[in-house]
Amino acid sequence: MEKFVYIALFAPLLSSLLVALFAARPKILFTGILASALIGVSMIASFVLLVDVNAHGALHVKMMDWIDAGNLHIPFGFVVDQVSVIMMVTVTLVSTIVHIYSIGYMDHDKSFNRFFSYLSAFVFSMMILVMSDNFVGLFIGWEGVGLCSWLLIGFWYHKHSASWAANEAFIMNRIADLGMLMGLFLIYWQVGSFQYDIVFAAVKSMDVAIVTTIGIFLFIGAMGKSAQFPLHTWLADAMEGPTPVSALIHAATMVTAGVYLVIRCGELYTLIPHIGFAIASLGAFVAVFAASMALVNNDLKRIIAYSTLSQLGYMFVAAGLGAYWIALFHLMTHAFFKSLLFLGAGNVMHAMHDELNIKKMGGLYGSMKATAILMSVASVALAGIYPFAGFFSKDKILEVAFNHGAYYLWFALFIGAGMTAFYSFRLVMLVFFGEKEYTKYGIHPHEAQPFVIYALMPLGLLAIIAGFFEHSFEGFVTRLLSHYEVHLSHGTEWALIAGTSAIAISGIVFAIYKYSRGGFSKSLENRACYKLLINQYFIPKLYAMYIMQPFTVLSRFLWQRIDVRIVDFTVDLIAKVIYATGQNTRKMQSGNLSDMLRWMIVGMVALLALAIFFRPMV
């Protein structure tokens, strides 16, 4: 099975390198097909490993010794266990579909080849992250997805907004990664190793204060990658990248890395339940916070982005309360319907000539039936309606919060479920039904190419049926992760399910009712609550006012007053003195015999003077 580990890991790298050979050339269709095929090979290898792990248990592979300096020994090794193999399958499955979809989506882009090279490198970095058997390997993948996200968010670098968004994502993640690095340094200081098995065995005998500090630092890193408050603003701005990138970032790579880190470190967080509860509390806040911004936003991709942010909050609630397998289950099901939503949004954008304002759409169902059905399926799954995938995974998280006695967390998630259902179908209604607003702008929409629709169908199917694998999924991953015990009566469980389903259905019905009658009045936009939500609670403006502007002023002061007037002046002065000295001493090398004899006499007098006045005392 070792060869399948290498195939799963290195097929995306091979894809990236081969396609990179043609990066500067005009579009070559074969590069997209080759990249998609190699990612598909990685997916097949991942499924083979899934079957093998199910039959024979975890697989450990040591490729070579990597770092061996003093007491520091880090092998280049990988572990394919119940957690990592689920991540591998999810990442490669979604990535394969995104690659195939991108052949059609990027068809007219002049940097077609470069795009596929970056996209495959993104997948390779994520595979390194989830497959490594130590924290250093995880960190390399962690930084790799950060780099690739910068390349892909800013793919259209000629646009200032894209370049700015890429830099924002990169810098904000570097801030969080400093925290993660501090956690890794502390782990090595206390344990002397970065291997997962050694570290998790050692933390059980550590002082609680040290474990708490490590847990906080690692979660700071997770906050950046998974865009948790207050490091959340980059996620919506990252929509400046091509839509397939948005699908990959939000469904299978990048943002899921933070959740994976907490799940992988479950043995550590189990020892510090107070930190776990803080993580869950932050997650519940983000679930409602992000959903509230999606309620009023009119940007097609940003609505779905806020939805991702909200669902990440749900995942952190489950992970923070110790229900790691449920967090992983929601991560997997969410990947299917969220990638479907984003890719469907890409179809709409192409049909609308890249228009993103959903109020300029409407009535697209007649022209885009297949996309409308697929996005509706994904929206129902996101809303958590039976028997779609979201019902099984999201309801379990609410059940965990109620079981834990964290009733205000449960209530926040409960309200979030209603908001999710409303904004999901607000989008569906404004885009696909109602008045055809696009006719005012001379747009003639059309359905995506058939192979693009066929590529999305597996995601649509998984959005419907994935939830039915709940019990087999639980039995598989709880061989490694702790089994979460629920102590609720059947009556209470059914009441919770009925309540969550009722609020979700109410949200859907209210959205359909309201937007089939023209929506809310224009006067709503003048209300303070609307302005607060549409401006993202003014957080970006606060960051600009109290962080970016003071930093800019300080930087300008240091540049003009310190760098130019002191540092540059000192360097220039030294250069000028040396140059002037050289100019004045050039006469010594005139080549004139008389001048050279005079300098010889001067030198002899100087040497005699030194010998007379500075001779050593006996």
Side-chain angles (χ1 to χ4, degrees):
M1 282 296 119
E2 185 173 336
K3 66 180 180 181
F4 288 101
V5 175
Y6 295 138
I7 291 171
L9 177 63
F10 291 113
L13 177 62
L14 180 63
S15 169
S16 179
L17 294 176
L18 288 176
V19 175
L21 296 174
F22 308 96
R25 297 186 181 184
K27 176 196 167 184
I28 302 173
L29 180 61
F30 178 71
T31 57
I33 297 172
L34 176 64
S36 302
L38 286 170
I39 300 298
V41 168
S42 179
M43 177 188 69
I44 293 169
S46 298
F47 272 104
V48 171
L49 290 168
L50 174 66
V51 173
D52 184 72
V53 170
N54 185 47
H56 304 107
L59 178 65
H60 295 263
V61 174
K62 179 182 175 182
M63 185 175 175
M64 61 181 178
D65 288 320
W66 180 29
I67 299 175
D68 200 352
N71 295 325
L72 178 61
H73 175 69
I74 304 174
F76 200 63
F78 309 98
V79 59
V80 181
D81 57 20
Q82 288 79 4
V83 172
S84 61
V85 78
I86 289 294
M87 290 297 297
M88 289 165 62
V89 167
T90 304
V91 169
T92 54
L93 175 59
V94 173
S95 299
T96 300
I97 293 171
V98 169
H99 272 71
I100 296 170
Y101 174 91
S102 298
I103 295 173
Y105 188 87
M106 302 297 290
D107 184 47
H108 301 295
D109 197 285
K110 63 180 181 180
S111 298
F112 181 89
N113 304 334
R114 178 167 62 92
F115 177 81
F116 278 95
S117 179
Y118 290 171
L119 203 64
S120 296
F122 203 2
V123 179
F124 170 68
S125 297
M126 191 65 186
M127 293 294 278
I128 283 280
L129 191 156
V130 301
M131 293 176 68
S132 291
D133 65 356
N134 61 81
F135 282 102
V136 176
L138 178 144
F139 189 72
I140 288 174
W142 193 271
E143 294 305 301
V145 295
L147 171 63
C148 293
S149 69
W150 178 75
L151 292 170
L152 287 164
I153 294 168
F155 182 77
W156 291 316
Y157 54 84
H158 54 277
K159 293 169 55 181
H160 173 74
S161 56
S163 180
W164 191 91
N167 289 335
E168 180 191 20
F170 192 78
I171 293 167
M172 196 163 283
N173 274 276
R174 299 294 71 70
I175 295 168
D177 290 353
L178 176 61
M180 185 176 178
L181 270 175
M182 296 298 292
L184 298 187
F185 291 151
L186 194 53
I187 286 172
Y188 183 71
W189 182 35
Q190 293 293 318
V191 181
S193 175
F194 289 109
Q195 296 297 118
Y196 291 148
D197 51 354
I198 297 174
V199 172
F200 296 145
V203 293
K204 296 174 183 176
S205 58
M206 276 188 204
D207 183 75
V208 174
I210 296 294
V211 179
T212 299
T213 307
I214 292 172
I216 292 172
F217 278 136
L218 292 180
F219 182 65
I220 290 172
M223 286 171 64
K225 275 289 179 287
S226 294
Q228 295 297 282
F229 178 87
L231 303 176
H232 66 283
T233 55
W234 71 266
L235 192 64
D237 292 335
M239 297 303 97
E240 288 292 337
T243 302
V245 175
S246 303
L248 205 54
I249 288 177
H250 287 249
T253 60
M254 191 72 173
V255 297
T256 59
V259 180
Y260 170 78
L261 176 64
V262 175
I263 293 171
R264 174 58 73 183
C265 296
E267 293 182 57
L268 184 150
Y269 284 104
T270 300
L271 302 173
I272 45 174
H274 54 295
I275 299 300
F277 191 78
I279 292 171
S281 300
L282 178 63
F285 166 75
V286 170
V288 177
F289 171 73
S292 66
M293 291 186 285
L295 291 175
V296 300
N297 205 284
N298 296 319
D299 186 295
L300 175 63
K301 287 174 67 178
R302 281 177 176 263
I303 294 170
I304 305 173
Y306 287 129
S307 170
T308 298
L309 185 53
S310 179
Q311 296 307 305
L312 287 167
Y314 279 84
M315 296 175 207
F316 277 117
V317 170
L321 296 180
Y324 301 109
W325 80 264
I326 296 174
L328 186 61
F329 186 49
H330 191 52
L331 185 157
M332 183 188 74
T333 59
H334 173 263
F336 302 142
F337 52 75
K338 186 52 57 69
S339 56
L340 180 58
L341 274 174
F342 267 114
L343 298 180
N347 290 351
V348 173
M349 285 178 63
H350 265 198
M352 292 292 298
H353 302 172
D354 292 332
E355 177 59 61
L356 285 168
N357 190 337
I358 59 176
K359 289 194 172 181
K360 294 181 179 180
M361 299 179 188
L364 287 175
Y365 180 81
S367 305
M368 307 182 69
K369 287 186 175 64
T371 298
I373 292 170
L374 288 168
M375 288 191 71
S376 297
V377 166
S379 297
V380 174
L382 175 61
I385 304 300
Y386 182 87
F388 293 80
F391 168 83
F392 294 90
S393 57
K394 195 159 73 172
D395 265 39
K396 293 294 291 184
I397 297 174
L398 276 87
E399 185 179 307
V400 166
F402 198 89
N403 177 70
H404 206 81
Y407 300 120
Y408 67 92
L409 296 186
W410 172 83
F411 184 72
L413 299 181
F414 178 75
I415 296 300
M419 295 164 75
T420 300
F422 176 80
Y423 69 65
S424 296
F425 277 84
R426 171 179 177 264
L427 183 151
V428 170
M429 293 299 294
L430 286 174
V431 172
F432 295 110
F433 302 98
E435 294 294 325
K436 296 180 179 180
E437 299 293 334
Y438 60 83
T439 57
K440 301 175 184 177
Y441 307 96
I443 297 174
H444 303 285
H446 57 84
E447 185 58 274
Q449 300 176 61
F451 83 89
V452 170
I453 297 299
Y454 294 142
L456 300 185
M457 286 182 178
L459 292 175
L461 179 63
L462 287 168
I464 298 171
I465 69 169
F468 291 106
F469 295 97
E470 175 191 343
H471 296 298
S472 56
F473 182 93
E474 178 185 5
F476 178 69
V477 298
T478 51
R479 298 178 198 172
L480 178 67
L481 300 176
S482 58
H483 184 82
Y484 186 83
E485 296 291 338
V486 176
H487 305 287
L488 297 174
S489 66
H490 288 297
T492 303
E493 287 185 29
W494 282 108
L496 291 175
I497 292 171
T500 307
S501 298
I503 196 170
I505 293 171
S506 299
I508 293 172
V509 171
F510 181 57
I512 294 172
Y513 171 79
K514 199 68 182 177
Y515 288 98
S516 62
R517 287 167 171 75
F520 293 91
S521 65
K522 287 278 187 179
S523 61
L524 177 66
E525 297 180 7
N526 297 320
R527 296 184 181 179
C529 182
Y530 180 89
K531 291 181 179 179
L532 187 68
L533 296 179
I534 201 67
N535 288 288
Q536 304 173 57
Y537 293 90
F538 296 100
I539 291 173
K541 291 185 179 180
L542 291 173
Y543 285 175
M545 186 179 300
Y546 294 108
I547 297 177
M548 294 170 64
Q549 290 180 6
F551 182 79
T552 301
V553 171
L554 177 62
S555 299
R556 186 173 287 114
F557 171 80
L558 294 174
W559 164 49
Q560 294 177 341
R561 304 285 181 171
I562 307 298
D563 193 43
V564 174
R565 295 193 178 185
I566 298 177
V567 178
D568 284 356
F569 174 78
T570 303
V571 172
D572 291 343
L573 179 63
I574 293 170
K576 288 176 181 178
V577 169
I578 294 173
Y579 181 78
T581 303
Q583 286 289 90
N584 292 327
T585 56
R586 286 177 67 185
K587 299 174 183 178
M588 296 173 62
Q589 300 294 329
S590 65
N592 186 287
L593 183 59
S594 298
D595 288 341
M596 294 175 71
L597 287 171
R598 290 190 190 99
W599 282 112
M600 286 177 63
I601 293 170
V602 170
M604 290 175 62
V605 170
L607 289 172
L608 286 171
L610 288 171
I612 292 168
F613 293 105
F614 296 98
R615 67 180 184 274
M617 300 296 292
V618 180

